[in-house]
Amino acid sequence: MSRSRIGQLAVVMFVAAVACGVYEYSVTWTADQQHDDPAGYIAYLLRSVQQDAGALRQYRKRLQEQHVRLCERQQQLERQVRTAASSALELRERFHSGEPRVLALGQMWTRDQLESQISSLLAEVEQGTAALGVLQSSREDLELELERRTTELTDSDAAISMLQAQRELAVSRGGPRVSLEQLRLQVEGLTSSRGMSTTQEFQPSLANLTAGLD
């Protein structure tokens, strides 16, 4: 290998080593590094919480949008069930009149047609009522999830304010009021308990939220 090639390889290896060191320093703080730069370490913890809170805020927004859609579908299905029930009642009253042909719901019906339509409407009411039960269960699951994530976001915002205050103290007085280890544990406890919640969509118990609306 020529000297020029050796020199180029040495430069590449040096740059890679420096880049690796910078990356490791940015994500893994040794005890000495924390001691030498407490404000920088707190800023690193603060960024972690802020990023997590940002993802959580977006996740909660998606939950809110899903809740709106679910409520709209529930209301739509409730209207369909009420309409079907009302129509079935009107047709049944006309059927019991005993007339061979009757006018109902804006059209003429024979007794056979009335009987068939009444059965169809009652089946629609039964299916719609069952679908409403599933929708209500899904709505309750979604509301619980939304409430839990809202509480977590409140905790994150409080942690951000606390870390900002501790960072300012570290800058002005050379160190925070609480130990860096305690701050680290608080941050890890805050973010690790959420698992994949902000990257994995919440799925309510109803697989198809449009059930009964087709």
Side-chain angles (χ1 to χ4, degrees):
M1 182 180 294
S2 66
R3 290 184 178 181
S4 62
R5 293 286 293 173
I6 294 175
Q8 291 174 358
L9 180 59
V11 170
V12 171
M13 293 177 65
F14 173 76
V15 171
V18 171
C20 182
V22 170
Y23 173 78
E24 183 175 356
Y25 182 83
S26 67
V27 296
T28 58
W29 287 69
T30 67
D32 289 340
Q33 291 169 345
Q34 294 176 28
H35 181 269
D36 294 339
D37 186 12
Y41 181 64
I42 295 175
Y44 159 71
L45 295 177
L46 178 60
R47 286 193 299 272
S48 175
V49 178
Q50 287 173 330
Q51 291 173 358
D52 184 78
L56 183 57
R57 206 176 302 276
Q58 291 297 317
Y59 176 68
R60 187 183 66 165
K61 180 181 178 181
R62 294 195 299 272
L63 288 178
Q64 291 170 331
E65 292 169 350
Q66 191 174 4
H67 184 262
V68 170
R69 293 195 299 270
L70 184 57
C71 290
E72 290 174 348
R73 288 166 183 168
Q74 186 176 7
Q75 292 169 2
Q76 180 183 356
L77 184 55
E78 287 172 348
R79 289 193 297 269
Q80 290 181 355
V81 169
R82 286 196 301 268
T83 299
S86 176
S87 298
L89 181 60
E90 180 178 346
L91 291 181
R92 179 177 287 178
E93 290 175 350
R94 301 299 293 161
F95 180 81
H96 289 307
S97 68
E99 300 176 9
R101 291 177 63 84
V102 298
L103 176 65
L105 303 179
Q107 69 180 79
M108 295 298 298
W109 304 81
T110 65
R111 291 183 60 81
D112 289 343
Q113 289 174 332
L114 279 175
E115 189 172 12
S116 175
Q117 185 65 14
I118 290 170
S119 297
S120 177
L121 287 170
L122 291 178
E124 183 179 341
V125 170
E126 182 178 359
Q127 294 172 0
T129 301
L132 279 173
V134 180
L135 278 168
Q136 181 60 33
S137 177
S138 297
R139 179 176 174 177
E140 291 171 358
D141 290 345
L142 185 55
E143 288 171 348
L144 286 174
E145 176 77 353
L146 184 57
E147 180 180 355
R148 184 159 70 99
R149 300 312 177 183
T150 298
T151 299
E152 289 181 348
L153 188 55
T154 299
D155 293 341
S156 291
D157 289 339
I160 288 171
S161 297
M162 179 271 294
L163 288 169
Q164 288 173 335
Q166 294 299 325
R167 182 183 59 181
E168 292 175 2
L169 287 172
V171 171
S172 61
R173 301 183 183 181
R177 289 183 178 177
V178 297
S179 69
L180 296 176
E181 178 64 12
Q182 183 178 347
L183 292 177
R184 181 187 68 80
L185 291 175
Q186 288 180 5
V187 169
E188 288 185 353
L190 184 69
T191 57
S192 64
S193 62
R194 294 170 186 168
M196 297 295 291
S197 65
T198 57
T199 58
Q200 192 174 45
E201 290 294 333
F202 170 73
Q203 297 294 333
S205 58
L206 182 59
N208 180 9
L209 296 182
T210 60
L213 301 181
D214 298 332

